[in-house]
Amino acid sequence: MEARRELLERDAALAALRTALADAGRGEGRVVLVGGEAGIGKTSLVRAFAGEATASGTVRVLRGSCDHLLTARELGPFHDVARLARTDLAGALAAGSADEVRDLLLAELAVPTTLLVIEDVHWADEATADTLAFLARRVETLPAVLVLTCRDDEVLPGSPLRRLLALVRPPAGIRLALNPLSARAVSALAGESGLGLRLHALTKGNPFFVTELLAAEVEGVPASVRDVVLERVATLPERTRSLLDLLAVVPGRMDRALLDAVHPDWARDAEPAERRGIVRLGDAGLDFRHDLSRMAVADVLPGARRLGLGAAVLAALLAQEPRDEARILHHAVLCGDAEAVAAHGPGAARRAARTGAHQQALSRYEQLRPYVGLLAPEERATVTEEHAWELYNALRFDEAVALSREAVGLHRDLGEPAHLVRALVGLAWHRYLAADVPGAVATIDEAVRTAGAVDDVDHAGEVVELARSYRGFLLVLADREREGLAELDSVGESGGLAAARTIYRGLATAFLGDPAGLEILERGVADADGHREFVALGYTALVKAARRLGRDGEVRGHAERGAARTSGIELRAHGYTLEAHLCQLRAQEGRWDEAEEGFRELLEAAPQAGVLHRETLPHLGRLLLRRGDPEAAALLERSWALAERADILPVLVPAGLALVERAWLAGDPASEHDRIRLLLDRLDRPGVERQRGELLRYARRCGLPVEPFPGCRPEHLLGLRGDWRAAAEAWRRIGDPYERALELAGSGEPGPTLEALAILDELGAGPAARLVRGRLRELGVDRVPRGPRPDTRAHPAGLTARQGEVLELLGEGLTNAEIADRLVVSVRTVDHHVSAVLQKLGVPSRRAAARLARQAAAGRLAPVAC
């Protein structure tokens, strides 16, 4: 019996898609994300919709799919799209030009009216995700609909796909979350069999599982859907089963040329399986109707059979021209064909890196790693060095250092000074990012010496520019700005790194306290136009310089423009810094829930981010400290350990300030006097007036006698002079409610101190609020306000606003993954919030918390007084 394929309970989704297409017909493009678990019916829905659109005769439909390879093929779905494209998209893909691919796809979507469907984007590589994000940002002004299907519950924190999913929001973005079928719908599909309720209980309403079970025509209900798929396959002719075995080892569609080479009679043998709805034949080739069926067949293949089929596919791929090195590497790894891995792994990895698919590049270098001994010495050294740079792109800096050391040793043994210089520069940069700043400077000094000995006239100038430029960069970052400027100036104005040198000149100038550095940085960004990494570097430098100079009003604009212009996994280090600074601004503005979530997202996505953690660890630790969260202690200790390792001001100051504030809040200020003196000594220099002023203000609170200094910023100067009223007003203008409250609390007057308490309670700043309550009692205030801020009174134990949202969603019965999707945060962030909710409510399980949430919603839960 052929599987029933009626689209039940999908009317609302189809209506939304039709509306999106109608909007596109008026030039108002839309991007639609169809999300849900495997087998929920995403493909059935979009194919039915695409069929309608094609039948209308007025809509051009382009389709592509991401394949489930060991390592995703870079820009994979657009190879499918290229078959029907009006532009030379195939040529751009062959050249590996991601920028040209984006521009040509934009031209395709400008043709009225175009429907572009990309399926299974949860398997997309970074280049594909970036390209789809590029299109999603621009589709609103195009006569097109971009439809994406995704198992959004499988998208992990840190995935480049999260940026894409975040772009699907009104007005141009539509999210369609497909739900399982109801018991009534399953019963309708089951017809007179009487199995409806049992099928619904077994399948939980998953349409694929339902249709597979019904198509099996078995007595009763089998225990496993996989068993059902295999039962259906077992009744097919032997040659058809052999063809299905072959398809099972080839994720995605198997194109006709490959089928002709490996299974010449495939068209005849596919027919029985096609009639039963197990496989489908399209212009791009033959594949299983659903990947779950492919996996069921693949799972039971004997090892020898799998190996033989993989070897046959590999041989056919090797005979094709042009060669698809991504697929060759996939099958070579599965077959354990060491020679094929060594021969094609480097090319596959480099192509992925060139197109911006850096996670795929890293995966391919890791697949190649066990076989590097088969490479020629020069190739092995180069591959090892390239692998280290991909680890850098993944923010895995300690591992990058280890491989860079190996690459340096290999190049040293080869006796090629020019290549050795490049490897030393890479090692120096990775050591800096791993927070080994002294080691980084020592390594770059060796690179400069080695570059001076290069006598190859074709490369000498290039390697000298490289080594001395990076020496200048590192000196600027190591608090040696004047030396860095001298080094950068000595290199000159020409060469491939000229724009980067301008950017670091601007950063050094700003770090020395001269606002003219910002103008130099703007010029550097303009000079770097067309070089994405240098543009990203420029915006990152603008953000850091503006923050150092205390020009917070400019930070957000630089960070947001930088993020918009430089999205992409190859710029992940810059993206980390830009987003971290936005989180710091949110914390300063009192948007603590948003800031905390942002910091956690960054730390979860890049747990090995080395020196970049200066932008997250101490700031999250300080925020949690202000909230009274016990997790703060471990984060602050980690921050100081990082600071001691790096021993540079951008790492020392935020970590040290947080520890000083911790001692003051704990009533033990004397314990931090030595650290305060250490930091004040390091901050006795130009360009750090903001940091020095903040430290002096907390030093005064900790009981140390301190005085203002020339250039001290007004908000700190006024506080140090005891003018609490003017200081509080200065912090109000800046937009920092916490610091404003602290100045009000230092007034020694009941009225302003009561105002400070209200602000701190509103923020949820428990430790500071306790200090202020003590001061109010000392001032003789008889009735000191108690309890959480008004918006937390409805929640037991004073939950934060975000924790209250999480509790409400728990009450709706949502899973952590569903809550994460609703709030657009990671699942791990929701895990943290759920744990905090359970702890504050004093309940043992999410079910108990959900029960409390429902009681609160019904008005049966009394508020808790704190």
Side-chain angles (χ1 to χ4, degrees):
M1 181 181 94
E2 186 174 348
R4 299 173 175 84
R5 300 184 193 176
E6 296 91 336
L7 283 178
L8 295 180
E9 299 183 334
R10 298 294 183 251
D11 290 346
L14 275 171
L17 288 165
R18 290 168 185 148
T19 300
L21 193 58
D23 290 342
R26 295 190 294 272
E28 300 174 8
R30 298 289 182 259
V31 54
V32 183
L33 175 69
V34 181
E37 65 184 16
I40 202 67
K42 301 181 293 295
T43 294
S44 297
L45 173 69
V46 298
R47 294 198 175 193
F49 173 60
E52 282 185 14
T54 301
S56 72
T58 61
V59 178
R60 185 175 64 132
V61 179
L62 303 174
R63 295 190 187 94
S65 297
C66 303
D67 295 333
H68 194 191
L69 296 170
L70 284 177
T71 302
R73 184 188 190 192
E74 60 278 1
L75 299 171
F78 304 120
H79 290 269
D80 299 335
V81 175
R83 294 185 176 92
L84 295 176
R86 300 185 181 185
T87 60
D88 187 21
L89 184 58
L93 288 164
S97 172
D99 289 339
E100 187 179 357
V101 167
R102 293 185 184 110
D103 291 340
L104 293 178
L105 284 167
L106 204 60
E108 295 288 341
L109 296 186
V111 178
T113 300
T114 297
L115 170 62
L116 174 58
V117 177
I118 304 295
E119 295 193 62
D120 297 326
V121 296
H122 46 277
W123 290 326
D125 61 281
E126 295 98 324
T128 294
D130 281 350
T131 299
L132 292 173
F134 174 87
L135 298 176
R137 291 190 189 98
R138 293 160 178 80
V139 74
E140 188 172 7
T141 60
L142 298 171
V145 177
L146 172 60
V147 177
L148 313 173
T149 71
C150 178
R151 299 179 193 172
D152 42 2
D153 58 330
E154 296 184 11
V155 180
L156 299 175
S159 166
L161 195 59
R162 293 191 66 83
R163 291 194 305 274
L164 171 61
L165 300 186
L167 291 173
V168 185
R169 57 180 181 265
I174 301 167
R175 286 178 175 247
L176 299 178
L178 299 190
N179 296 315
L181 298 177
S182 67
R184 177 178 298 179
V186 175
S187 295
L189 286 172
E192 298 177 358
S193 68
L195 295 175
L197 293 178
R198 294 177 66 194
L199 276 174
H200 186 265
L202 177 68
T203 65
K204 309 301 182 186
N206 182 290
F208 171 76
F209 296 161
V210 171
T211 55
E212 288 299 309
L213 288 168
L214 288 171
E217 294 185 314
V218 295
E219 291 292 331
V221 179
S224 164
V225 173
R226 189 188 75 167
D227 293 342
V228 171
V229 172
L230 296 177
E231 275 191 53
R232 295 182 66 200
V233 169
T235 62
L236 294 169
E238 182 179 352
R239 290 185 60 84
T240 300
R241 296 199 305 272
S242 295
L243 175 61
L244 294 185
D245 288 350
L246 174 63
L247 291 177
V249 302
V250 182
R253 293 185 186 90
M254 193 166 180
D255 65 66
R256 298 180 184 221
L258 191 57
L259 284 163
D260 288 339
V262 184
H263 195 109
D265 293 327
W266 65 269
R268 181 197 67 193
D269 296 336
E271 185 179 347
E274 189 180 8
R275 279 202 309 269
R276 295 196 185 187
I278 296 172
V279 299
R280 61 193 172 193
L281 177 62
D283 294 337
L286 186 69
D287 65 348
F288 280 89
R289 185 169 61 86
H290 200 289
D291 198 60
L292 291 172
S293 297
R294 183 192 68 80
M295 293 168 63
V297 175
D299 282 348
V300 296
L301 280 177
R305 172 74 169 151
R306 184 194 298 270
L307 192 63
L309 290 169
V313 171
L314 177 60
L317 288 170
L318 289 169
Q320 285 185 342
E321 290 294 342
R323 288 178 171 175
D324 186 338
E325 289 191 306
R327 288 188 175 275
I328 288 172
L329 180 61
H330 171 86
H331 290 285
V333 170
L334 289 178
C335 294
D337 189 328
E339 290 185 3
V341 173
H344 298 281
R350 287 167 186 151
R351 180 182 175 86
R354 191 167 60 248
T355 58
H358 287 275
Q359 282 187 352
Q360 280 62 42
L362 178 56
S363 177
R364 289 171 188 170
Y365 280 117
E366 288 173 343
Q367 289 166 358
L368 177 60
R369 180 69 180 161
Y371 306 98
V372 292
L374 299 176
L375 301 175
E378 296 85 356
E379 179 76 327
R380 178 178 181 179
T382 301
V383 161
T384 304
E385 189 177 347
E386 292 167 348
H387 189 172
W389 279 108
E390 294 307 326
L391 288 165
Y392 153 79
N393 283 319
L395 307 190
R396 291 162 55 183
F397 300 134
D398 288 338
E399 295 170 76
V401 168
L403 276 187
S404 285
R405 289 187 193 278
E406 182 178 327
V408 165
L410 292 168
H411 283 300
R412 206 187 299 277
D413 291 343
L414 288 167
E416 297 176 345
H419 293 300
L420 177 58
V421 170
R422 294 189 182 93
L424 285 166
V425 167
L427 175 58
W429 197 244
H430 300 323
R431 291 184 78 173
Y432 164 74
L433 287 162
D436 179 10
V437 179
V441 173
T443 301
I444 201 64
D445 287 345
E446 181 186 354
V448 170
R449 291 193 299 271
T450 306
V454 173
D455 55 10
D456 182 346
V457 294
D458 293 330
H459 298 101
E462 178 186 340
V463 297
V464 168
E465 182 206 5
L466 176 72
R468 299 198 68 178
S469 294
Y470 269 86
R471 185 172 189 271
F473 302 163
L474 285 171
L475 290 173
V476 171
L477 296 171
D479 300 336
R480 295 163 61 181
E481 294 92 348
R482 296 192 189 282
E483 294 176 69
L485 281 170
E487 185 77 355
L488 294 171
D489 290 341
S490 72
V491 180
E493 298 294 331
S494 61
L497 293 171
R501 288 196 297 277
T502 300
I503 289 167
Y504 273 99
R505 285 191 192 98
L507 186 63
T509 303
F511 276 8
L512 290 169
D514 186 348
L518 295 172
E519 297 175 11
I520 300 172
L521 283 168
E522 295 278 12
R523 187 167 70 248
V525 171
D527 292 345
D529 194 31
H531 195 306
R532 293 179 71 214
E533 184 163 7
F534 289 171
V535 172
L537 168 67
Y539 277 107
T540 304
L542 277 166
V543 165
K544 291 194 289 188
R547 192 77 166 150
R548 177 79 75 95
L549 292 167
R551 297 170 71 158
D552 293 347
E554 300 174 24
V555 170
R556 177 173 283 102
H558 292 318
E560 290 177 346
R561 284 193 296 275
R565 289 192 59 187
T566 60
S567 64
I569 196 68
E570 72 271 27
L571 308 173
R572 199 171 170 193
H574 300 298
Y576 186 100
T577 300
L578 294 173
E579 181 57 34
H581 277 274
L582 289 173
C583 291
Q584 291 169 29
L585 284 180
R586 293 178 195 123
Q588 177 178 301
E589 293 163 356
R591 296 157 59 192
W592 286 4
D593 284 343
E594 296 173 62
E596 179 181 339
E597 285 179 355
F599 285 134
R600 288 188 184 280
E601 290 272 342
L602 289 169
L603 286 169
E604 289 163 9
Q608 304 174 43
V611 77
L612 300 184
H613 278 159
R614 68 190 174 201
E615 311 293 358
T616 49
L617 271 179
H619 299 281
L620 176 59
R622 197 172 186 184
L623 176 55
L624 295 182
L625 169 72
R626 292 175 175 183
R627 303 188 94 153
D629 191 320
E631 187 184 351
L635 289 172
L636 294 182
E637 294 305 323
R638 284 176 60 194
S639 299
W640 188 250
L642 177 71
E644 288 185 309
R645 174 175 166 81
D647 196 30
I648 54 176
L649 289 175
V651 193
L652 283 165
V653 172
L657 278 167
L659 289 170
V660 170
E661 184 175 349
R662 180 177 70 172
W664 173 65
L665 288 172
D668 185 23
S671 64
E672 288 295 325
H673 284 182
D674 287 344
R675 198 186 320 264
I676 291 171
R677 295 185 184 98
L678 166 69
L679 291 174
L680 284 175
D681 183 61
R682 294 290 295 269
L683 288 169
D684 187 15
R685 44 161 287 166
V688 290
E689 289 80 8
R690 176 182 191 154
Q691 294 79 6
R692 189 178 177 192
E694 183 179 3
L695 180 61
L696 286 173
R697 191 68 191 92
Y698 273 91
R700 173 73 61 82
R701 289 176 182 138
C702 287
L704 285 176
V706 294
E707 296 295 332
F709 59 93
C712 186
R713 288 171 55 84
E715 62 272 17
H716 300 132
L717 177 63
L718 292 166
L720 289 169
R721 287 177 174 171
D723 189 349
W724 61 266
R725 184 175 284 104
E729 176 59 20
W731 284 115
R732 187 195 65 77
R733 289 195 301 270
I734 289 170
D736 190 328
Y738 183 80
E739 290 296 340
R740 177 170 177 255
L742 296 189
E743 293 296 348
L744 290 169
S747 65
E749 299 178 12
T753 308
L754 283 166
E755 184 181 356
L757 180 59
I759 295 171
L760 294 171
D761 278 342
E762 179 67 23
L763 288 170
R770 281 193 292 275
L771 287 180
V772 173
R773 285 189 170 87
R775 289 184 184 178
L776 284 167
R777 295 186 185 98
E778 292 170 2
L779 291 171
V781 176
D782 295 329
R783 302 188 64 179
V784 177
R786 301 177 62 194
R789 61 184 189 262
D791 72 328
T792 63
R793 286 187 179 275
H795 296 298
L799 303 186
T800 67
R802 180 61 102 188
Q803 290 165 356
E805 288 182 275
V806 170
L807 179 59
E808 289 176 10
L809 295 174
L810 284 174
E812 293 179 22
L814 272 61
T815 66
N816 284 14
E818 291 167 335
I819 294 172
D821 183 63
R822 183 81 64 88
L823 300 179
V824 197
V825 297
S826 75
V827 176
R828 288 188 63 186
T829 296
V830 174
D831 292 343
H832 171 80
H833 285 315
V834 170
S835 296
V837 166
L838 298 184
Q839 182 179 12
K840 288 185 177 182
L841 296 181
V843 295
S845 68
R846 57 188 296 120
R847 179 177 297 179
R851 184 169 59 252
L852 285 176
R854 289 190 291 271
Q855 291 172 352
R860 300 195 306 271
L861 191 64
V864 173
C866 297

